[in-house]
Amino acid sequence: MVKLDIKGTWLGFKRLLPLSMFVIAFGLAFGLAAAQAEMTKLEAMLMSGLVFAGASQFAVLELMREEIPLLAIMITTFAINARHLLMGASLYPWLKEIPTAKRYGILTFISDANWAIAAQDYQQGERNLGIILGGGLALWLAWVLGTWLGLVLTQGIPDPQALGLDMVLGCFLLTMAVGGKKDLRVLVIWATAALVALIALKFLPPNSHVIAGALAGGLVGAFWLPTTQVKEAK
Amino acid sequence: MDLSNTASATYIVIAAMTLVTLVTRYGGVFIMSFVPLNRRVEGFINGMSGSVLVALIVPMAVEGDTAARLALLTSLIMVLWLKKPLPAIAAGLLVTAAWRYFVG
């Protein structure tokens, strides 16, 4: 039974808290970078609070110069964040069970980490959507808090890269990928996704590799169906 | 479509980014609500789900420095061994930080 309740949301919040500590460090790095790019505190906080997508925010800071290329900024933001389209689509069988307003309300907080955990939960039969909402709230709070700290603390901040913090998300997503079911079909799908992502990285426009790799993997999944019947939703 | 970098221009940028990002967050589910769910679509969805992760991680390893690759390798070995994500991530970061400190 698909549901969304306060208890599940709180559990989701708590499950993402450890990772959120690292997100604070990233937010801090963004706050610093935003201050160096001469954004005001209000602007930087609004950007983190409303956009809530770190990689695209860093990328846009690079594009903010004397003349602001608005179209280029929108295209870059779309390309980097287009992975959300696929993440949302992958949750559709789950989200279709709840009313439209709640569905899009939850999606407002979708991000890499809470999606990765939720997708794994769904495969294992979990049907409480609190992980997406609660987890997303934890990540959002951490991101906004971190940004603020970065704007306020201007000295004595260690370099996040020296501490290996730039690899937190990569390592986290890797552990999520390994946790799922593995058979020959999954391995072929992954190999296809990896290969196409690398080809796209080399030959296609910047930031298109995630979409290209994920769609290629999805196509293999559509044509090579799992031999055992997919477990029906409980 | 270039704007001069004034205070109000930054707010336009923030508004535009917010809108574009919300479209990406809502769009996938919106499009799927017009697609009938059958076994092939489900096969596509679950294949794509893991592929997003792979397509994010593999370029990090290929484009990253030695420390970045060691982080991923360490996390991979540790999660297969311990079956727990958090210690595996911590080990990956530790190796990365140590490599950057001692080797550069």
Side-chain angles (χ1 to χ4, degrees):
Chain A
M1 191 31 207
V2 173
K3 63 176 176 183
L4 175 68
D5 55 14
I6 292 177
K7 189 164 158 264
T9 305
W10 176 236
L11 282 176
F13 186 86
K14 283 196 290 189
R15 268 176 82 190
L16 266 296
L17 268 188
L19 192 79
S20 295
M21 298 303 126
F22 294 112
V23 174
I24 292 180
F26 279 124
L28 206 147
F30 176 73
L32 269 180
Q36 279 160 10
E38 295 182 344
M39 282 178 84
T40 66
K41 287 190 178 63
L42 179 63
E43 289 163 355
M45 292 296 285
L46 272 178
M47 190 184 271
S48 281
L50 293 173
V51 180
F52 177 44
S56 62
Q57 290 176 229
F58 273 106
V60 165
L61 283 188
E62 301 288 314
L63 296 172
M64 303 268 272
R65 298 192 196 91
E66 283 293 299
E67 298 287 306
I68 295 178
L70 189 59
L71 191 63
I73 285 175
M74 289 174 77
I75 291 171
T76 303
T77 305
F78 183 80
I80 295 177
N81 294 333
R83 65 187 191 284
H84 292 138
L85 289 166
L86 309 182
M87 293 175 177
S90 78
L91 295 174
Y92 180 70
W94 197 356
L95 288 167
K96 75 172 166 42
E97 307 287 337
I98 60 168
T100 312
K102 278 190 182 175
R103 194 187 290 173
Y104 291 103
I106 291 175
L107 281 169
T108 308
F109 290 94
I110 201 85
S111 182
D112 300 308
N114 57 342
W115 167 77
I117 293 189
Q120 202 184 37
D121 273 11
Y122 186 76
Q123 300 279 338
Q124 289 164 0
E126 174 65 54
R127 291 296 176 264
N128 196 310
L129 284 160
I131 178 64
I132 308 178
L133 182 60
L137 282 169
L139 295 168
W140 183 83
L141 277 176
W143 180 241
V144 172
L145 176 67
T147 303
W148 180 72
L149 286 174
L151 292 164
V152 179
L153 310 171
T154 42
Q155 48 193 357
I157 297 172
D159 174 15
Q161 211 167 342
L163 301 174
L165 289 175
D166 54 319
M167 292 310 292
V168 173
L169 191 65
C171 290
F172 173 77
L173 295 177
L174 181 68
T175 61
M176 287 296 114
V178 173
K181 194 179 92 169
K182 289 171 291 290
D183 53 21
L184 183 63
R185 175 177 174 269
V186 170
L187 289 180
V188 171
I189 289 173
W190 286 10
T192 310
L195 192 68
V196 172
L198 289 177
I199 293 170
L201 195 63
K202 205 163 162 51
F203 299 108
L204 294 185
N207 303 315
S208 64
H209 60 278
V210 178
I211 288 286
L215 287 179
L219 281 178
V220 175
F223 285 101
W224 182 355
L225 295 173
T227 40
T228 49
Q229 185 68 38
V230 181
K231 244 190 310 183
E232 289 299 320
K234 277 168 274 188
Chain B
M1 236 200 327
D2 285 9
L3 303 168
S4 56
N5 196 345
T6 57
S8 60
T10 310
Y11 290 108
I12 293 171
V13 166
I14 294 168
M17 287 180 74
T18 303
L19 204 70
V20 170
T21 308
L22 277 181
V23 166
T24 65
R25 287 199 162 102
Y26 296 160
V29 164
F30 183 75
I31 293 166
M32 286 306 295
S33 63
F34 298 104
V35 179
L37 276 187
N38 54 38
R39 287 199 65 206
R40 215 164 274 292
V41 174
E42 278 178 11
F44 180 79
I45 285 176
N46 71 39
M48 183 182 74
S49 185
S51 299
V52 174
L53 294 175
V54 173
L56 280 165
I57 298 163
V58 171
M60 282 188 201
V62 173
E63 293 211 306
D65 57 352
T66 310
R69 287 175 199 157
L70 279 176
L72 295 170
L73 185 66
T74 310
S75 287
L76 179 64
I77 293 169
M78 293 299 274
V79 78
L80 289 174
W81 180 35
L82 298 171
K83 312 273 180 217
K84 288 200 178 102
L86 279 177
I89 297 167
L93 300 190
L94 206 64
V95 169
T96 310
W99 182 272
R100 285 187 181 145
Y101 186 79
F102 293 111
V103 186

